[in-house]
């Protein structure tokens, strides 16, 4: 008990130190909903990838500390090249972004001359530089619908999101064969088992999940859309089929409701948690603010090429 008390005190002190340093250095902390609760507590703003990109584009802070994964911090740097962008854990990558390298994508595009290239923001700056317009799971349908109805489209890198949007919009789309290691692991069987136990529960799923899983969902949306749905829908029990970090915010915003995280296919792997997002800790945030490092540095020519694809997305909005 004494040990636990000390830990809580230490954490409080660390949080205070981070908040002081943040003020001194005119830094802003942006955190994704999938990061651990303590990290979300020190953030100035917590959001999904779209909201975080928009914030990164408009902040007047001197330093942006990105509590999230690599492609998110890179996106912030693409939009705010004159600001210092810190990524407290440089090894925090993304299996989805890694499933589509820029050289492979460039070779792939040689077969698709004249196609409009739409990429999910979960990509490297190199892939964004090859992209006409980016999207996130919040605005993917609007981005596709903003294109002329006869446009031929290449969509990368997430096959599940791509196939889902193709179904919703009926557009002519070639989809890159990539996936997120977290969302791919959810299984229909496990969700049906939970449904038997909680027949009144509504199933909320992220569009990065497989088609069989999406078929069982009552509502499909980005993390921000799932949060909105959970707060406004009259149901009081929800089975949540996305990264489990979202539950912190769902429970905080809806204390009277019950949220059940869907387990992955192999329940022992714990892979409904994104290991990359969980690498960001309070200690690393403090060190990064103190040292103003590790910093995201981009090649200016590639950054400029990538910027257009994100700005076009932000013009469309949500
Ligand atoms: P959103 O933040 O767009 O919902 O994306 C989820 C995700 O997997 C982020 O890495
Ligand atoms: Fe990437 Fe999936 Fe983690 Fe999101 S949840 S950061 S897509 S690996």
């Amino acid at each position: 008990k004494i040990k636990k008390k000390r830990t809580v005190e230490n954490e409080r002190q660390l949080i205070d130190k981070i908040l002081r340093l943040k003020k001194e250095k005119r830094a802003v902390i942006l955190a994704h909903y999938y990061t651990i609760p303590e990290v979300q507590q020190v953030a100035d703003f917590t959001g999904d990838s779209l909201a975080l990109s928009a914030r990164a584009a408009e902040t007047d802070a001197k330093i942006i500390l990105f509590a999230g994964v690599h492609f998110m911090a890179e996106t912030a740097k693409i939009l705010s090249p004159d600001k210092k962008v810190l990524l407290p854990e440089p090894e925090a990558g993304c299996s989805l972004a890694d499933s589509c390298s820029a050289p492979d994508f460039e070779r792939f595009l040689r077969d698709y001359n004249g196609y409009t290239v739409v990429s999910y923001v979960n990509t490297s700056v190199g892939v964004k530089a090859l992209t006409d317009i980016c999207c996130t799971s919040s605005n993917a349908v609007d981005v596709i619908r903003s294109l002329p109805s006869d446009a031929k489209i290449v969509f990368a890198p997430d096959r599940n999101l791509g196939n889902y949007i193709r179904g919703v919009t009926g557009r002519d789309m070639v989809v890159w064969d990539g996936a997120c290691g977290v969302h791919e692991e959810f299984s229909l069987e496990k969700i049906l088992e939970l449904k038997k136990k909680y027949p009144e529960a509504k199933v909320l799923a992220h569009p990065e999940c497989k088609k069989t899983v999406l078929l069982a969902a009552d509502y499909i949306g980005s993390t921000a859309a799932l949060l909105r749905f959970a707060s406004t829908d009259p149901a009081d029990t929800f089975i949540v089929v996305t990264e489990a970090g979202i539950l912190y915010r769902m429970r905080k915003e809806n204390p009277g409701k019950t949220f059940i995280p869907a387990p992955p296919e192999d329940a022992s792997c714990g892979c409904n948690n994104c290991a990359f997002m969980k690498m960001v800790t309070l200690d690393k945030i403090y060190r990064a603010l103190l040292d103003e490092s590790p910093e995201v540095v981009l090649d200016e020519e590639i950054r400029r090429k990538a910027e257009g694809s994100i700005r076009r997305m932000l013009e469309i909005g949500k």
Side-chain angles (χ1 to χ4, degrees):
K1 258 193 183 153
I2 289 173
K3 194 163 178 236
K4 176 124 196 264
K5 188 162 177 276
R6 281 214 190 101
T7 313
V8 172
E9 273 166 17
N10 289 350
E11 188 177 290
R12 189 62 252 164
Q13 282 168 3
L14 186 55
I15 290 176
D16 288 345
K17 279 182 358 189
I18 290 173
L19 297 179
R20 263 201 306 277
L21 207 51
K22 185 165 73 99
K23 209 167 161 195
E24 250 168 65
K25 301 215 173 197
R26 284 190 45 220
V28 67
I29 299 181
L30 305 181
H32 193 272
Y33 289 129
Y34 293 169
T35 52
I36 57 175
E38 307 87 278
V39 165
Q40 295 190 43
Q41 278 164 27
V42 293
D44 295 281
F45 181 73
T46 309
D48 73 345
S49 357
L50 178 62
L52 290 168
S53 315
R55 274 292 165 121
E58 69 200 18
T59 180
D60 56 7
K62 249 178 73 194
I63 295 175
I64 300 172
L65 184 140
F66 219 108
V69 295
H70 196 268
F71 76 82
M72 296 180 173
E74 234 176 40
T75 304
K77 184 69 182 177
I78 293 168
L79 290 166
S80 297
D82 300 330
K83 301 206 157 90
K84 197 173 254 188
V85 177
L86 304 175
L87 182 61
E89 173 49 74
E91 296 295 312
C94 166
S95 55
L96 179 53
D98 287 349
S99 68
C100 182
S101 77
D104 286 349
F105 195 48
E106 190 167 25
R107 268 190 298 279
F108 176 82
L109 290 178
R110 284 185 204 141
D111 290 337
Y112 297 103
N113 242 326
Y115 280 60
T116 303
V117 181
V118 180
S119 297
Y120 199 23
V121 283
N122 301 40
T123 45
S124 66
V125 62
V127 169
K128 289 187 177 79
L130 298 165
T131 295
D132 296 304
I133 180 162
C134 281
C135 71
T136 75
S137 50
S138 268
N139 62 12
V141 169
D142 294 338
V143 165
I144 297 292
R145 287 194 175 137
S146 75
L147 304 175
S149 57
D150 59 349
K152 288 178 181 302
I153 300 162
V154 166
F155 183 89
D158 190 60
R159 60 173 173 255
N160 296 322
L161 178 65
N163 292 333
Y164 169 70
I165 308 167
R166 182 170 38 205
V168 174
T169 62
R171 293 299 182 89
D172 184 359
M173 283 167 65
V174 175
V175 176
W176 178 271
D177 193 21
C180 154
V182 174
H183 289 89
E184 272 278 290
E185 289 302 317
F186 293 110
S187 82
L188 178 62
E189 290 70 27
K190 293 273 185 281
I191 295 164
L192 295 179
E193 275 169 32
L194 279 173
K195 270 296 269 189
K196 257 195 214 152
K197 221 168 142 189
Y198 305 96
E200 305 301 324
K202 286 207 171 150
V203 177
L204 310 181
H206 194 281
E208 285 175 23
C209 298
K210 289 180 288 204
K211 188 174 180 182
T212 45
V213 166
L214 295 181
L215 286 172
D218 294 291
Y219 183 74
I220 299 167
S222 68
T223 44
L226 297 183
L227 270 165
R228 270 194 303 276
F229 188 88
S231 296
T232 50
D233 191 80
D236 58 15
T237 308
F238 299 88
I239 296 166
V240 184
V241 198
T242 187
E243 210 275 352
I246 187 97
L247 274 93
Y248 165 68
R249 188 65 177 235
M250 278 181 173
R251 289 175 177 146
K252 195 171 159 193
E253 287 180 1
N254 306 280
K257 297 187 178 183
T258 305
F259 297 97
I260 303 151
E265 176 115 51
D266 169 9
S268 66
C269 75
C271 36
N272 56 343
N273 278 290
C274 174
F276 300 115
M277 289 282 187
K278 309 306 182 215
M279 286 170 133
V280 185
T281 61
L282 288 179
D283 280 309
K284 289 176 192 169
I285 290 178
Y286 176 66
R287 284 263 32 127
L289 274 177
L290 196 66
D291 302 343
E292 299 190 17
S293 165
E295 188 185 347
V296 178
V297 180
L298 300 177
D299 175 271
E300 180 53 18
E301 201 185 321
I302 299 185
R303 187 204 66 78
R304 238 181 304 113
K305 280 192 194 153
E307 186 177 1
S309 63
I310 306 177
R311 296 256 173 230
R312 275 187 75 188
M313 169 186 89
L314 291 174
E315 278 163 24
I316 289 173
K318 286 193 195 187

